[in-house]
Amino acid sequence: MLKVLHFADLHLGVENFGKLNPKTSLNSRVEDFLNAFDLLVEKGLKEKVDLVIFAGDAFRDRNPNPTLQREFAKRISKFIHAGIPVVLLVGNHDLPRVKNRANTLEIYKVLDIPGLTVIDQIEIIKIKTGKGYVQIAGVPWDYFLNLFLALKAEQKTTRSVVPNSTLSEAKGKEREPENLKKLLEEQIKAKIKDLAERLDPDFPSILTAHLPLGQQFGSEQDLEIELDVFLKPEIVINSDFDYIALGHMHRFQELSKDPLAIYPGSLEKVDFGEKNQEKGFVIINLPQKKDKEGIGKSIKPTTFKFNSTSKRRFLELEFDLDELKDPNEFLTKIEEQKTKLDDAIVRIVLTGAKATLNQLDHSRLKELLSSTYYYATHTEFTDKKKTRSELTVEVTPLKALEEYLKLTKVPKNKIDNLKKQAQELMKEVEE
């Protein structure tokens, strides 16, 4: 059996709820992510895995600073020095906004480091491990993005050539967003089928893809402005592959058992939307169809084990102060849970009348939460119409805009339109 370590969506550079560590000059939340990465490397070396697959999104930004690049390289090099081959698939956060600029992983391809392979285009590669060869079919984000843009441009052209007199007649034939999604699914499924037909049946095979399959969840949509398209998981399920290693979605999920298809999720929590999610990576036991001498081996099912890496706890406590005789009774409840709150990222949600909330002992609250890693409070008045958000935790610009529009009672269809316009403006600024 081949042991394959599969992880994805590292997103080094996330600094939510962190502060500068003067000893390392790193943000403390960046250190959380690096600690999770260290656990992965330590486990991989201890288990003596035969292959490491990273399914995309190494950094938070497309232009990571040299320190983050160094920290990523240091950990990947430990596998290489141990004689364990590593495959790096290019994800959406690894791609530059401007054409012809290098992606964040391209330097490893240029250096041509033995044992380190970068997949930045659709291809099949054969990797030599200590237990024989394995085939890797790669589908990077760039393929999906270019396909999406090509189909959308074709759709736009089709509409523009329709004469005005026949617009009503052609309306039902136009490729609406749902139809565009269907075309994407058909073409991606066909491409994966083509890859499968080119496999050598004598060697184990893995499909690794950075694609948006399933439903929106986790923090992926907030980390960066991306295409709001989620495809059917079935498009990657092809039984000619022994394992399907996915990246892009931040929560662990097993899409299929036969063949085994997994999103390992990210290594560390990003925000409160992920507070209850387990974070980590998987180690796969992959059957060898042939050994190094070409002698046939019995076929066994592909199995996996999930390994947790996230150590930072996210806790959210809610209190309805109108239900308490003394509004400061909630402080006693917090004190009872103080041990649980130590070194955690905490959000306290307080609901009540304005007069009640004005009676709070904030100095005592601050004292009780002093041992937390980070804390924030969110107040909701039950007797006052909100005109603006009082959320004090960090949010992305796009989320802040959406929150503001909701609070000012802007219709949902207008909110969606304004968000799209904001996305375009932000892209222009980044470029």
Side-chain angles (χ1 to χ4, degrees), residues 292-321:
K292 286 182 287 187
E293 286 73 37
I295 301 171
K297 293 192 173 182
S298 60
I299 303 301
K300 297 178 181 179
T302 302
T303 60
F304 78 95
K305 183 177 180 181
F306 180 84
N307 297 266
S308 180
T309 55
S310 179
K311 300 298 182 184
R312 186 66 60 197
R313 290 170 296 117
F314 278 65
L315 299 172
E316 187 173 50
L317 302 177
E318 300 182 27
F319 300 97
D320 185 345
L321 303 187

PDB file of all heavy atoms in Angstrom, residues 292-321:
ATOM      1  N   LYS A 292       7.403  -2.755  -7.799  1.00  0.00           N
ATOM      2  CA  LYS A 292       8.496  -2.218  -8.629  1.00  0.00           C
ATOM      3  C   LYS A 292       8.999  -3.217  -9.670  1.00  0.00           C
ATOM      4  O   LYS A 292       9.519  -2.842 -10.704  1.00  0.00           O
ATOM      5  CB  LYS A 292       9.646  -1.782  -7.708  1.00  0.00           C
ATOM      6  CG  LYS A 292       9.355  -0.507  -6.948  1.00  0.00           C
ATOM      7  CD  LYS A 292      10.517  -0.070  -6.090  1.00  0.00           C
ATOM      8  CE  LYS A 292      10.670  -0.955  -4.871  1.00  0.00           C
ATOM      9  NZ  LYS A 292      11.701  -0.436  -3.932  1.00  0.00           N
ATOM     10  N   GLU A 293       8.839  -4.514  -9.389  1.00  0.00           N
ATOM     11  CA  GLU A 293       9.293  -5.533 -10.343  1.00  0.00           C
ATOM     12  C   GLU A 293       8.203  -5.922 -11.333  1.00  0.00           C
ATOM     13  O   GLU A 293       8.408  -6.782 -12.195  1.00  0.00           O
ATOM     14  CB  GLU A 293       9.764  -6.792  -9.588  1.00  0.00           C
ATOM     15  CG  GLU A 293      11.112  -6.627  -8.897  1.00  0.00           C
ATOM     16  CD  GLU A 293      11.013  -5.748  -7.667  1.00  0.00           C
ATOM     17  OE1 GLU A 293       9.987  -5.832  -6.963  1.00  0.00           O
ATOM     18  OE2 GLU A 293      11.936  -4.957  -7.428  1.00  0.00           O
ATOM     19  N   GLY A 294       7.013  -5.311 -11.193  1.00  0.00           N
ATOM     20  CA  GLY A 294       5.933  -5.595 -12.120  1.00  0.00           C
ATOM     21  C   GLY A 294       5.113  -6.810 -11.745  1.00  0.00           C
ATOM     22  O   GLY A 294       4.290  -7.277 -12.527  1.00  0.00           O
ATOM     23  N   ILE A 295       5.344  -7.336 -10.536  1.00  0.00           N
ATOM     24  CA  ILE A 295       4.568  -8.491 -10.080  1.00  0.00           C
ATOM     25  C   ILE A 295       3.214  -8.012  -9.575  1.00  0.00           C
ATOM     26  O   ILE A 295       3.126  -7.086  -8.778  1.00  0.00           O
ATOM     27  CB  ILE A 295       5.319  -9.233  -8.948  1.00  0.00           C
ATOM     28  CG1 ILE A 295       6.688  -9.688  -9.454  1.00  0.00           C
ATOM     29  CG2 ILE A 295       4.505 -10.414  -8.438  1.00  0.00           C
ATOM     30  CD1 ILE A 295       7.580 -10.232  -8.369  1.00  0.00           C
ATOM     31  N   GLY A 296       2.147  -8.626 -10.028  1.00  0.00           N
ATOM     32  CA  GLY A 296       0.808  -8.175  -9.657  1.00  0.00           C
ATOM     33  C   GLY A 296       0.531  -8.308  -8.171  1.00  0.00           C
ATOM     34  O   GLY A 296       0.993  -9.223  -7.513  1.00  0.00           O
ATOM     35  N   LYS A 297      -0.221  -7.368  -7.628  1.00  0.00           N
ATOM     36  CA  LYS A 297      -0.635  -7.411  -6.229  1.00  0.00           C
ATOM     37  C   LYS A 297      -2.151  -7.378  -6.155  1.00  0.00           C
ATOM     38  O   LYS A 297      -2.823  -6.848  -7.024  1.00  0.00           O
ATOM     39  CB  LYS A 297      -0.046  -6.227  -5.462  1.00  0.00           C
ATOM     40  CG  LYS A 297       1.473  -6.286  -5.319  1.00  0.00           C
ATOM     41  CD  LYS A 297       1.958  -5.273  -4.310  1.00  0.00           C
ATOM     42  CE  LYS A 297       3.444  -5.446  -4.055  1.00  0.00           C
ATOM     43  NZ  LYS A 297       3.947  -4.501  -3.039  1.00  0.00           N
ATOM     44  N   SER A 298      -2.678  -7.940  -5.079  1.00  0.00           N
ATOM     45  CA  SER A 298      -4.134  -7.965  -4.929  1.00  0.00           C
ATOM     46  C   SER A 298      -4.675  -6.551  -4.730  1.00  0.00           C
ATOM     47  O   SER A 298      -4.035  -5.714  -4.102  1.00  0.00           O
ATOM     48  CB  SER A 298      -4.521  -8.836  -3.733  1.00  0.00           C
ATOM     49  OG  SER A 298      -3.952  -8.321  -2.546  1.00  0.00           O
ATOM     50  N   ILE A 299      -5.833  -6.300  -5.286  1.00  0.00           N
ATOM     51  CA  ILE A 299      -6.446  -4.979  -5.200  1.00  0.00           C
ATOM     52  C   ILE A 299      -7.273  -4.880  -3.924  1.00  0.00           C
ATOM     53  O   ILE A 299      -8.180  -5.676  -3.680  1.00  0.00           O
ATOM     54  CB  ILE A 299      -7.338  -4.705  -6.427  1.00  0.00           C
ATOM     55  CG1 ILE A 299      -6.535  -4.849  -7.710  1.00  0.00           C
ATOM     56  CG2 ILE A 299      -7.958  -3.318  -6.327  1.00  0.00           C
ATOM     57  CD1 ILE A 299      -5.350  -3.921  -7.814  1.00  0.00           C
ATOM     58  N   LYS A 300      -6.953  -3.866  -3.105  1.00  0.00           N
ATOM     59  CA  LYS A 300      -7.695  -3.603  -1.881  1.00  0.00           C
ATOM     60  C   LYS A 300      -8.343  -2.213  -1.998  1.00  0.00           C
ATOM     61  O   LYS A 300      -7.908  -1.397  -2.802  1.00  0.00           O
ATOM     62  CB  LYS A 300      -6.764  -3.640  -0.672  1.00  0.00           C
ATOM     63  CG  LYS A 300      -6.117  -4.998  -0.434  1.00  0.00           C
ATOM     64  CD  LYS A 300      -5.182  -4.949   0.756  1.00  0.00           C
ATOM     65  CE  LYS A 300      -4.523  -6.304   0.985  1.00  0.00           C
ATOM     66  NZ  LYS A 300      -3.581  -6.268   2.131  1.00  0.00           N
ATOM     67  N   PRO A 301      -9.353  -1.930  -1.208  1.00  0.00           N
ATOM     68  CA  PRO A 301      -9.981  -0.605  -1.291  1.00  0.00           C
ATOM     69  C   PRO A 301      -9.059   0.487  -0.754  1.00  0.00           C
ATOM     70  O   PRO A 301      -8.228   0.245   0.124  1.00  0.00           O
ATOM     71  CB  PRO A 301     -11.224  -0.752  -0.404  1.00  0.00           C
ATOM     72  CG  PRO A 301     -10.887  -1.861   0.545  1.00  0.00           C
ATOM     73  CD  PRO A 301     -10.025  -2.808  -0.245  1.00  0.00           C
ATOM     74  N   THR A 302      -9.211   1.685  -1.324  1.00  0.00           N
ATOM     75  CA  THR A 302      -8.469   2.849  -0.834  1.00  0.00           C
ATOM     76  C   THR A 302      -9.115   3.320   0.467  1.00  0.00           C
ATOM     77  O   THR A 302     -10.327   3.480   0.547  1.00  0.00           O
ATOM     78  CB  THR A 302      -8.512   3.988  -1.870  1.00  0.00           C
ATOM     79  OG1 THR A 302      -7.956   3.516  -3.103  1.00  0.00           O
ATOM     80  CG2 THR A 302      -7.712   5.190  -1.389  1.00  0.00           C
ATOM     81  N   THR A 303      -8.297   3.527   1.498  1.00  0.00           N
ATOM     82  CA  THR A 303      -8.812   3.966   2.795  1.00  0.00           C
ATOM     83  C   THR A 303      -8.111   5.255   3.215  1.00  0.00           C
ATOM     84  O   THR A 303      -7.087   5.630   2.640  1.00  0.00           O
ATOM     85  CB  THR A 303      -8.607   2.892   3.874  1.00  0.00           C
ATOM     86  OG1 THR A 303      -7.202   2.618   3.996  1.00  0.00           O
ATOM     87  CG2 THR A 303      -9.354   1.619   3.517  1.00  0.00           C
ATOM     88  N   PHE A 304      -8.649   5.907   4.242  1.00  0.00           N
ATOM     89  CA  PHE A 304      -8.035   7.153   4.708  1.00  0.00           C
ATOM     90  C   PHE A 304      -8.205   7.320   6.207  1.00  0.00           C
ATOM     91  O   PHE A 304      -9.067   6.699   6.835  1.00  0.00           O
ATOM     92  CB  PHE A 304      -8.657   8.359   3.996  1.00  0.00           C
ATOM     93  CG  PHE A 304      -9.997   8.768   4.534  1.00  0.00           C
ATOM     94  CD1 PHE A 304     -10.107   9.764   5.500  1.00  0.00           C
ATOM     95  CD2 PHE A 304     -11.164   8.151   4.106  1.00  0.00           C
ATOM     96  CE1 PHE A 304     -11.340  10.133   6.006  1.00  0.00           C
ATOM     97  CE2 PHE A 304     -12.403   8.505   4.609  1.00  0.00           C
ATOM     98  CZ  PHE A 304     -12.495   9.509   5.565  1.00  0.00           C
ATOM     99  N   LYS A 305      -7.386   8.207   6.762  1.00  0.00           N
ATOM    100  CA  LYS A 305      -7.534   8.621   8.152  1.00  0.00           C
ATOM    101  C   LYS A 305      -7.376  10.123   8.233  1.00  0.00           C
ATOM    102  O   LYS A 305      -6.411  10.679   7.700  1.00  0.00           O
ATOM    103  CB  LYS A 305      -6.496   7.943   9.053  1.00  0.00           C
ATOM    104  CG  LYS A 305      -6.681   8.304  10.531  1.00  0.00           C
ATOM    105  CD  LYS A 305      -5.690   7.580  11.424  1.00  0.00           C
ATOM    106  CE  LYS A 305      -5.905   7.976  12.884  1.00  0.00           C
ATOM    107  NZ  LYS A 305      -4.935   7.311  13.792  1.00  0.00           N
ATOM    108  N   PHE A 306      -8.344  10.792   8.877  1.00  0.00           N
ATOM    109  CA  PHE A 306      -8.280  12.246   9.056  1.00  0.00           C
ATOM    110  C   PHE A 306      -7.422  12.560  10.272  1.00  0.00           C
ATOM    111  O   PHE A 306      -7.546  11.937  11.326  1.00  0.00           O
ATOM    112  CB  PHE A 306      -9.683  12.817   9.245  1.00  0.00           C
ATOM    113  CG  PHE A 306      -9.707  14.315   9.448  1.00  0.00           C
ATOM    114  CD1 PHE A 306      -9.678  15.169   8.352  1.00  0.00           C
ATOM    115  CD2 PHE A 306      -9.753  14.862  10.718  1.00  0.00           C
ATOM    116  CE1 PHE A 306      -9.695  16.551   8.534  1.00  0.00           C
ATOM    117  CE2 PHE A 306      -9.766  16.235  10.912  1.00  0.00           C
ATOM    118  CZ  PHE A 306      -9.738  17.072   9.815  1.00  0.00           C
ATOM    119  N   ASN A 307      -6.542  13.551  10.128  1.00  0.00           N
ATOM    120  CA  ASN A 307      -5.654  13.979  11.204  1.00  0.00           C
ATOM    121  C   ASN A 307      -5.908  15.448  11.521  1.00  0.00           C
ATOM    122  O   ASN A 307      -5.810  16.307  10.645  1.00  0.00           O
ATOM    123  CB  ASN A 307      -4.186  13.798  10.794  1.00  0.00           C
ATOM    124  CG  ASN A 307      -3.833  12.351  10.545  1.00  0.00           C
ATOM    125  OD1 ASN A 307      -3.344  11.660  11.419  1.00  0.00           O
ATOM    126  ND2 ASN A 307      -4.089  11.870   9.326  1.00  0.00           N
ATOM    127  N   SER A 308      -6.234  15.734  12.765  1.00  0.00           N
ATOM    128  CA  SER A 308      -6.565  17.101  13.176  1.00  0.00           C
ATOM    129  C   SER A 308      -5.308  17.922  13.432  1.00  0.00           C
ATOM    130  O   SER A 308      -4.317  17.421  13.978  1.00  0.00           O
ATOM    131  CB  SER A 308      -7.420  17.061  14.443  1.00  0.00           C
ATOM    132  OG  SER A 308      -7.745  18.371  14.863  1.00  0.00           O
ATOM    133  N   THR A 309      -5.341  19.196  13.026  1.00  0.00           N
ATOM    134  CA  THR A 309      -4.195  20.089  13.237  1.00  0.00           C
ATOM    135  C   THR A 309      -4.560  21.368  13.986  1.00  0.00           C
ATOM    136  O   THR A 309      -3.705  21.999  14.585  1.00  0.00           O
ATOM    137  CB  THR A 309      -3.571  20.501  11.886  1.00  0.00           C
ATOM    138  OG1 THR A 309      -4.582  21.076  11.053  1.00  0.00           O
ATOM    139  CG2 THR A 309      -2.930  19.322  11.184  1.00  0.00           C
ATOM    140  N   SER A 310      -5.813  21.777  13.928  1.00  0.00           N
ATOM    141  CA  SER A 310      -6.207  23.065  14.505  1.00  0.00           C
ATOM    142  C   SER A 310      -6.219  22.998  16.029  1.00  0.00           C
ATOM    143  O   SER A 310      -6.903  22.165  16.624  1.00  0.00           O
ATOM    144  CB  SER A 310      -7.594  23.470  13.999  1.00  0.00           C
ATOM    145  OG  SER A 310      -7.973  24.709  14.571  1.00  0.00           O
ATOM    146  N   LYS A 311      -5.459  23.876  16.663  1.00  0.00           N
ATOM    147  CA  LYS A 311      -5.402  23.931  18.124  1.00  0.00           C
ATOM    148  C   LYS A 311      -6.120  25.159  18.692  1.00  0.00           C
ATOM    149  O   LYS A 311      -6.489  25.184  19.853  1.00  0.00           O
ATOM    150  CB  LYS A 311      -3.932  23.950  18.585  1.00  0.00           C
ATOM    151  CG  LYS A 311      -3.126  22.736  18.146  1.00  0.00           C
ATOM    152  CD  LYS A 311      -3.685  21.452  18.718  1.00  0.00           C
ATOM    153  CE  LYS A 311      -2.850  20.244  18.309  1.00  0.00           C
ATOM    154  NZ  LYS A 311      -3.435  18.977  18.793  1.00  0.00           N
ATOM    155  N   ARG A 312      -6.277  26.180  17.874  1.00  0.00           N
ATOM    156  CA  ARG A 312      -6.905  27.418  18.359  1.00  0.00           C
ATOM    157  C   ARG A 312      -8.421  27.252  18.419  1.00  0.00           C
ATOM    158  O   ARG A 312      -9.062  26.925  17.426  1.00  0.00           O
ATOM    159  CB  ARG A 312      -6.554  28.589  17.435  1.00  0.00           C
ATOM    160  CG  ARG A 312      -7.034  29.942  17.942  1.00  0.00           C
ATOM    161  CD  ARG A 312      -6.326  30.344  19.205  1.00  0.00           C
ATOM    162  NE  ARG A 312      -4.885  30.446  18.994  1.00  0.00           N
ATOM    163  CZ  ARG A 312      -3.991  30.460  19.961  1.00  0.00           C
ATOM    164  NH1 ARG A 312      -4.377  30.370  21.221  1.00  0.00           N
ATOM    165  NH2 ARG A 312      -2.696  30.540  19.682  1.00  0.00           N
ATOM    166  N   ARG A 313      -9.012  27.479  19.593  1.00  0.00           N
ATOM    167  CA  ARG A 313     -10.449  27.328  19.775  1.00  0.00           C
ATOM    168  C   ARG A 313     -11.188  28.643  19.515  1.00  0.00           C
ATOM    169  O   ARG A 313     -10.722  29.712  19.927  1.00  0.00           O
ATOM    170  CB  ARG A 313     -10.754  26.843  21.201  1.00  0.00           C
ATOM    171  CG  ARG A 313     -10.327  25.401  21.449  1.00  0.00           C
ATOM    172  CD  ARG A 313     -10.419  25.012  22.908  1.00  0.00           C
ATOM    173  NE  ARG A 313      -9.497  25.781  23.731  1.00  0.00           N
ATOM    174  CZ  ARG A 313      -9.847  26.619  24.702  1.00  0.00           C
ATOM    175  NH1 ARG A 313     -11.138  26.797  24.980  1.00  0.00           N
ATOM    176  NH2 ARG A 313      -8.944  27.268  25.399  1.00  0.00           N
ATOM    177  N   PHE A 314     -12.313  28.552  18.848  1.00  0.00           N
ATOM    178  CA  PHE A 314     -13.208  29.686  18.615  1.00  0.00           C
ATOM    179  C   PHE A 314     -14.478  29.440  19.439  1.00  0.00           C
ATOM    180  O   PHE A 314     -15.143  28.411  19.251  1.00  0.00           O
ATOM    181  CB  PHE A 314     -13.585  29.798  17.140  1.00  0.00           C
ATOM    182  CG  PHE A 314     -12.554  30.490  16.282  1.00  0.00           C
ATOM    183  CD1 PHE A 314     -11.300  29.937  16.083  1.00  0.00           C
ATOM    184  CD2 PHE A 314     -12.847  31.704  15.671  1.00  0.00           C
ATOM    185  CE1 PHE A 314     -10.354  30.565  15.296  1.00  0.00           C
ATOM    186  CE2 PHE A 314     -11.907  32.342  14.867  1.00  0.00           C
ATOM    187  CZ  PHE A 314     -10.663  31.774  14.684  1.00  0.00           C
ATOM    188  N   LEU A 315     -14.810  30.345  20.326  1.00  0.00           N
ATOM    189  CA  LEU A 315     -15.990  30.180  21.166  1.00  0.00           C
ATOM    190  C   LEU A 315     -16.894  31.400  21.074  1.00  0.00           C
ATOM    191  O   LEU A 315     -16.413  32.539  21.104  1.00  0.00           O
ATOM    192  CB  LEU A 315     -15.576  29.964  22.630  1.00  0.00           C
ATOM    193  CG  LEU A 315     -14.715  28.725  22.917  1.00  0.00           C
ATOM    194  CD1 LEU A 315     -14.225  28.740  24.353  1.00  0.00           C
ATOM    195  CD2 LEU A 315     -15.500  27.455  22.640  1.00  0.00           C
ATOM    196  N   GLU A 316     -18.188  31.162  20.983  1.00  0.00           N
ATOM    197  CA  GLU A 316     -19.167  32.240  20.923  1.00  0.00           C
ATOM    198  C   GLU A 316     -20.202  32.021  22.027  1.00  0.00           C
ATOM    199  O   GLU A 316     -20.824  30.959  22.099  1.00  0.00           O
ATOM    200  CB  GLU A 316     -19.842  32.269  19.551  1.00  0.00           C
ATOM    201  CG  GLU A 316     -20.754  33.455  19.347  1.00  0.00           C
ATOM    202  CD  GLU A 316     -21.256  33.535  17.920  1.00  0.00           C
ATOM    203  OE1 GLU A 316     -21.747  32.511  17.411  1.00  0.00           O
ATOM    204  OE2 GLU A 316     -21.148  34.613  17.320  1.00  0.00           O
ATOM    205  N   LEU A 317     -20.383  33.025  22.896  1.00  0.00           N
ATOM    206  CA  LEU A 317     -21.334  32.945  24.002  1.00  0.00           C
ATOM    207  C   LEU A 317     -22.416  34.002  23.817  1.00  0.00           C
ATOM    208  O   LEU A 317     -22.109  35.176  23.558  1.00  0.00           O
ATOM    209  CB  LEU A 317     -20.616  33.168  25.339  1.00  0.00           C
ATOM    210  CG  LEU A 317     -19.456  32.202  25.661  1.00  0.00           C
ATOM    211  CD1 LEU A 317     -18.803  32.593  26.978  1.00  0.00           C
ATOM    212  CD2 LEU A 317     -19.933  30.765  25.709  1.00  0.00           C
ATOM    213  N   GLU A 318     -23.662  33.585  23.943  1.00  0.00           N
ATOM    214  CA  GLU A 318     -24.791  34.503  23.761  1.00  0.00           C
ATOM    215  C   GLU A 318     -25.568  34.657  25.063  1.00  0.00           C
ATOM    216  O   GLU A 318     -25.850  33.672  25.750  1.00  0.00           O
ATOM    217  CB  GLU A 318     -25.715  33.983  22.654  1.00  0.00           C
ATOM    218  CG  GLU A 318     -25.033  33.853  21.302  1.00  0.00           C
ATOM    219  CD  GLU A 318     -25.976  33.394  20.217  1.00  0.00           C
ATOM    220  OE1 GLU A 318     -27.198  33.659  20.348  1.00  0.00           O
ATOM    221  OE2 GLU A 318     -25.520  32.760  19.253  1.00  0.00           O
ATOM    222  N   PHE A 319     -25.939  35.905  25.394  1.00  0.00           N
ATOM    223  CA  PHE A 319     -26.692  36.188  26.613  1.00  0.00           C
ATOM    224  C   PHE A 319     -27.828  37.163  26.310  1.00  0.00           C
ATOM    225  O   PHE A 319     -27.597  38.222  25.718  1.00  0.00           O
ATOM    226  CB  PHE A 319     -25.777  36.801  27.682  1.00  0.00           C
ATOM    227  CG  PHE A 319     -24.627  35.920  28.087  1.00  0.00           C
ATOM    228  CD1 PHE A 319     -23.367  36.089  27.516  1.00  0.00           C
ATOM    229  CD2 PHE A 319     -24.805  34.913  29.019  1.00  0.00           C
ATOM    230  CE1 PHE A 319     -22.309  35.289  27.880  1.00  0.00           C
ATOM    231  CE2 PHE A 319     -23.739  34.092  29.388  1.00  0.00           C
ATOM    232  CZ  PHE A 319     -22.488  34.280  28.825  1.00  0.00           C
ATOM    233  N   ASP A 320     -29.041  36.788  26.730  1.00  0.00           N
ATOM    234  CA  ASP A 320     -30.193  37.680  26.627  1.00  0.00           C
ATOM    235  C   ASP A 320     -30.349  38.354  27.990  1.00  0.00           C
ATOM    236  O   ASP A 320     -30.860  37.756  28.943  1.00  0.00           O
ATOM    237  CB  ASP A 320     -31.446  36.890  26.261  1.00  0.00           C
ATOM    238  CG  ASP A 320     -32.653  37.800  26.009  1.00  0.00           C
ATOM    239  OD1 ASP A 320     -32.590  38.988  26.388  1.00  0.00           O
ATOM    240  OD2 ASP A 320     -33.644  37.319  25.445  1.00  0.00           O
ATOM    241  N   LEU A 321     -29.905  39.595  28.101  1.00  0.00           N
ATOM    242  CA  LEU A 321     -29.872  40.286  29.396  1.00  0.00           C
ATOM    243  C   LEU A 321     -31.259  40.664  29.885  1.00  0.00           C
ATOM    244  O   LEU A 321     -31.456  40.874  31.088  1.00  0.00           O
ATOM    245  CB  LEU A 321     -28.986  41.533  29.289  1.00  0.00           C
ATOM    246  CG  LEU A 321     -27.542  41.277  28.822  1.00  0.00           C
ATOM    247  CD1 LEU A 321     -26.719  42.555  28.923  1.00  0.00           C
ATOM    248  CD2 LEU A 321     -26.891  40.160  29.621  1.00  0.00           C
TER     249      LEU A 321
END
